[in-house]
């Protein structure tokens, strides 16, 4: 009841500011459990001078808002091949009080070309944004985050296994859902007494849960090598006689949406022929015969080796070299 | 209701009533102030009209709207003059953007007063900028005189930060 009125027969005094001006840094909302207190005061003049009177103080406690967002931190579909793949998410406590969240990863999403198997959900313990096996904590079922402070965000990894037999460019989505431990529901749903300091906890606009989707795209990449030869004999013809120069062309065709790493093309010098020094070339550009100074090396004894490194799908490289028929 | 603690200020008026109480009683304030706070609940009725109601602030969270009210009354036999009601705006709320533009406010803890549009505050880079609703620290109302038996209500709307 608030009908009682308090009279303070104080002598004239200046009004005291009941609150300091500088507020604490209030990020997204005032913290749950905060008491809002309000007192009015009045001054007036009667026949005896200036008088001051205060009102009663009303208090309201701010309740705990339950809100969470989940977003995918992957810039696009993550390239994957059969085996382990990692999807990265961010879970943010958008509420105004400390709250933990239950995480659920769902690999069965409508429209998936293939389905992965969720192996584990891990928290980016060392905060480097990359999944580090053995370092980043793997959550045990039921996968629940630590209590996140208001506005705190954590990075979460969902580790999945891509099955064998997926075809190139097939896609698969994995959903990560976070739900407030206190509870979820329609915005406005109240959990009496379950908020900070015994206050209520109220479901906010997010419903106290959120889901984000991470995408995988199968990058299955193949390499095809094709070798051709052309002959120029000493007489200007194309017969294979001693002294004829044979030019070999090896064409490496990389197909698929992914890429291949450490692609090295080697060939031997055929019996009965001799490598023509200084003729090794990659895509028309000469390479030295020596090892270590560029991508290629060549010798009569060891043949040719060209290190193409990482090659993306769709690339074509041509390696040429000459031999002379003995 | 457990959530609301409406406290009566601890300092009571009658702490020092001497034996000759009548003299003190005569010096008691003829003015009474009674503060209250209500939450503003907005809903849509069957006809699609938006309905706002003032309700007890059972459950309040950031973004909710409150109305702070102060009822005043002159219970004395004499008029009082230069009647000024001052209300500090709690840190946890900001003055609502649709508050009366003519409301007299302070953005410096009650040092200087004026309509919000006339006030400035120091920005983070040290330069002065126009004051915003969130900068308001106090609101106040001034009445030239309150006649015996008169009463009224002043109020301001606020949003929980």
């Amino acid at each position: 009841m608030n009908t009682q009125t308090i009279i303070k027969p104080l002598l004239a005094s200046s009004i005291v500011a009941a609150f300091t001006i500088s507020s604490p840094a209030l990020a997204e909302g005032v913290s749950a459990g905060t008491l809002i207190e309000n007192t009015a005061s009045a001054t007036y003049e009667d026949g005896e001078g200036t008088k001051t009177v205060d009102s009663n103080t009303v208090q309201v406690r701010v309740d705990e808002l339950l809100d969470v967002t989940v977003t995918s931190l992957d810039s696009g579909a993550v390239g994957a091949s059969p085996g382990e793949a990692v999807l990265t998410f961010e879970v943010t406590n958008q509420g105004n009080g400390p709250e933990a969240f239950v995480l659920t990863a769902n690999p069965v999403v409508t429209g998936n070309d293939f389905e992965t198997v969720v192996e584990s959900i891990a928290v980016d313990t060392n905060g480097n944004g990359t999944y580090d096996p053995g370092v980043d904590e793997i959550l045990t079922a039921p996968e629940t985050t630590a209590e996140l402070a208001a506005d705190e965000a954590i990075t979460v990894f969902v580790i999945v296994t891509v099955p064998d037999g997926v075809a190139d460019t097939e896609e698969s989505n994995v959903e990560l859902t976070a739900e407030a431990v206190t509870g979820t529901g329609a915005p406005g749903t109240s959990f009496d007494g379950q908020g900070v300091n015994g206050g209520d906890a109220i479901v906010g606009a997010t419903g106290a849960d959120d889901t984000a989707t991470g995408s995988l795209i199968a990058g299955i990449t193949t390499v095809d090598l094709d070798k051709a030869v052309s002959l120029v004999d000493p007489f200007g013809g194309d017969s294979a006689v001693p002294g004829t120069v044979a030019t070999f062309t090896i064409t490496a065709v990389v197909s698929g949406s992914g890429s291949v790493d450490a692609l090295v093309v080697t060939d031997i010098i055929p019996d009965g022929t001799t490598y023509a020094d200084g003729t090794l070339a990659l895509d028309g550009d000469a390479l030295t015969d020596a090892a270590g100074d560029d991508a290629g090396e060549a010798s009569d004894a060891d043949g040719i080796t060209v290190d193409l490194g990482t090659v993306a799908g769709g690339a074509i490289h041509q390696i040429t070299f000459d031999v002379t028929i003995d | 209701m457990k959530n609301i603690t409406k406290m009566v200020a601890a300092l009571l008026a009658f702490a020092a009533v001497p034996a000759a109480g009548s003299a003190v009683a005569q010096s008691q304030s003829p003015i009474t102030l009674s503060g209250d706070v209500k939450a503003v609940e907005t809903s849509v009725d069957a006809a699609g009209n938006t309905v706002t109601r003032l309700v007890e602030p059972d459950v309040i969270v950031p973004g909710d709207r409150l109305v702070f009210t102060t009822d005043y009354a002159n219970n004395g036999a004499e008029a009082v003059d230069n009647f000024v009601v001052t209300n500090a705006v709690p840190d946890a709320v900001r003055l609502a953007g649709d508050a009366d533009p003519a409301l007299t406010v302070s953005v410096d803890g009650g040092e200087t007063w004026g309509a919000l549009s006339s006030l400035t505050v120091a920005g983070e880079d040290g330069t002065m900028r126009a004051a915003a609703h969130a900068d308001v620290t106090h609101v106040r109302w001034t009445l030239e005189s309150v006649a015996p038996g008169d009463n009224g209500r002043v109020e301001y709307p606020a949003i929980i930060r």
Side-chain angles (χ1 to χ4, degrees):
Chain A
M1 291 302 291
N2 190 33
T3 53
Q4 185 175 359
T5 303
I6 319 303
I7 305 165
K8 287 178 67 184
L10 296 177
L11 294 178
S13 64
S14 60
I15 297 163
V16 176
F19 297 91
T20 56
I21 303 168
S22 59
S23 312
L26 301 171
E28 291 296 315
V30 64
S31 300
T34 299
L35 282 178
I36 297 175
E37 296 187 338
N38 189 54
T39 309
S41 63
T43 62
Y44 61 92
E45 292 163 8
D46 61 11
E48 301 167 6
T50 303
K51 304 277 179 66
T52 300
V53 59
D54 285 353
S55 76
N56 56 310
T57 298
V58 291
Q59 267 190 350
V60 182
R61 181 169 51 203
V62 178
D63 291 304
E64 182 174 352
L65 196 57
L66 301 173
D67 265 327
V68 62
T69 54
V70 182
T71 54
S72 170
L73 293 184
D74 296 319
S75 55
V78 174
S81 52
E84 182 184 281
V86 177
L87 295 163
T88 309
F89 297 88
E90 183 174 72
V91 176
T92 305
N93 178 5
Q94 303 284 6
N96 64 345
E99 183 71 19
F101 298 92
V102 176
L103 304 178
T104 310
N106 172 28
V108 182
V109 179
T110 303
N112 277 355
D113 295 326
F114 64 93
E115 266 149 22
T116 58
V117 176
V118 173
E119 300 297 339
S120 52
I121 300 175
V123 172
D124 187 16
T125 309
N126 60 3
N128 67 351
T130 303
Y131 176 56
D132 299 307
V135 175
D136 291 331
E137 179 196 2
I138 291 176
L139 300 175
T140 52
E143 286 88 351
T144 306
T145 68
E147 205 167 68
L148 305 185
D151 301 329
E152 184 178 355
I154 56 168
T155 299
V156 171
F157 304 109
V158 176
I159 296 104
V160 298
T161 298
V162 177
D164 291 331
V166 297
D168 190 32
T169 74
E170 282 190 331
E171 295 187 40
S172 179
N173 290 336
V174 177
E175 293 176 341
L176 180 68
T177 298
E179 298 172 293
V181 165
T182 301
T184 63
T189 304
S190 177
F191 297 95
D192 292 352
Q194 296 186 46
V196 173
N197 294 339
D200 296 343
I202 312 303
V203 173
T206 62
D209 62 4
D210 195 24
T211 299
T213 301
S215 297
L216 294 165
I217 183 164
I220 308 299
T221 309
T222 56
V223 179
D224 287 314
L225 294 180
D226 180 65
K227 187 175 180 181
V229 64
S230 63
L231 303 176
V232 177
D233 67 34
F235 318 107
D238 58 3
S239 58
V241 297
T244 293
V245 174
T247 300
F248 288 101
T249 301
I250 300 172
T251 304
V253 178
V254 181
S255 308
S257 62
S259 62
V260 291
D261 294 330
L263 175 59
V264 177
V265 178
T266 60
D267 201 6
I268 57 169
I269 306 301
D271 287 345
T273 69
T274 302
Y275 173 65
D277 291 344
T279 57
L280 182 64
L282 172 62
D283 298 329
D285 296 326
L287 299 174
T288 68
D289 294 341
D293 59 349
D294 57 24
E297 58 181 285
S299 68
D300 200 47
D302 297 329
I304 63 105
T305 299
V306 177
D307 185 350
L308 296 172
T310 299
V311 183
I316 297 175
H317 290 294
Q318 279 198 331
I319 295 159
T320 54
F321 63 96
D322 292 351
V323 299
T324 308
I325 296 177
D326 298 334
Chain B
M1 290 304 291
K2 68 183 157 31
N3 229 7
I4 309 161
T5 325
K6 289 213 182 120
M7 291 207 336
V8 171
L11 302 171
L12 282 188
F14 311 104
V17 178
S22 60
V24 172
Q26 279 178 359
S27 70
Q28 278 189 357
S29 174
I31 295 290
T32 59
L33 286 185
S34 175
D36 196 7
V37 59
K38 288 283 194 289
V40 179
E41 186 183 82
T42 304
S43 57
V44 178
D45 69 11
N49 300 314
T50 301
V51 179
T52 54
R53 291 191 306 145
L54 291 181
V55 298
E56 290 297 329
D58 279 1
V59 170
I60 56 158
V61 291
D64 281 355
R65 186 180 176 94
L66 298 175
V67 175
F68 291 99
T69 61
T70 305
D71 289 317
Y72 61 88
N74 183 353
N75 301 315
E78 307 282 335
V80 301
D81 298 327
N82 198 18
F83 179 71
V84 181
V85 176
T86 304
N87 220 173
V89 178
D91 278 355
V93 304
R94 58 182 164 81
L95 186 63
D98 57 353
D100 182 358
L103 187 64
T104 301
V105 302
S106 174
V107 294
D108 57 6
E111 293 290 315
T112 55
W113 296 89
L116 183 61
S117 59
S118 71
L119 300 175
T120 56
V121 294
E124 284 183 6
D125 59 358
T127 60
M128 300 303 285
R129 62 167 173 80
H133 287 86
D135 299 319
V136 171
T137 62
H138 291 70
V139 296
R140 85 178 180 191
W141 300 264
T142 303
L143 299 173
E144 278 185 26
S145 178
V146 181
D150 263 11
N151 61 67
R153 164 177 286 193
V154 292
E155 64 180 39
Y156 70 92
I159 308 289
I160 299 178
R161 292 180 192 255

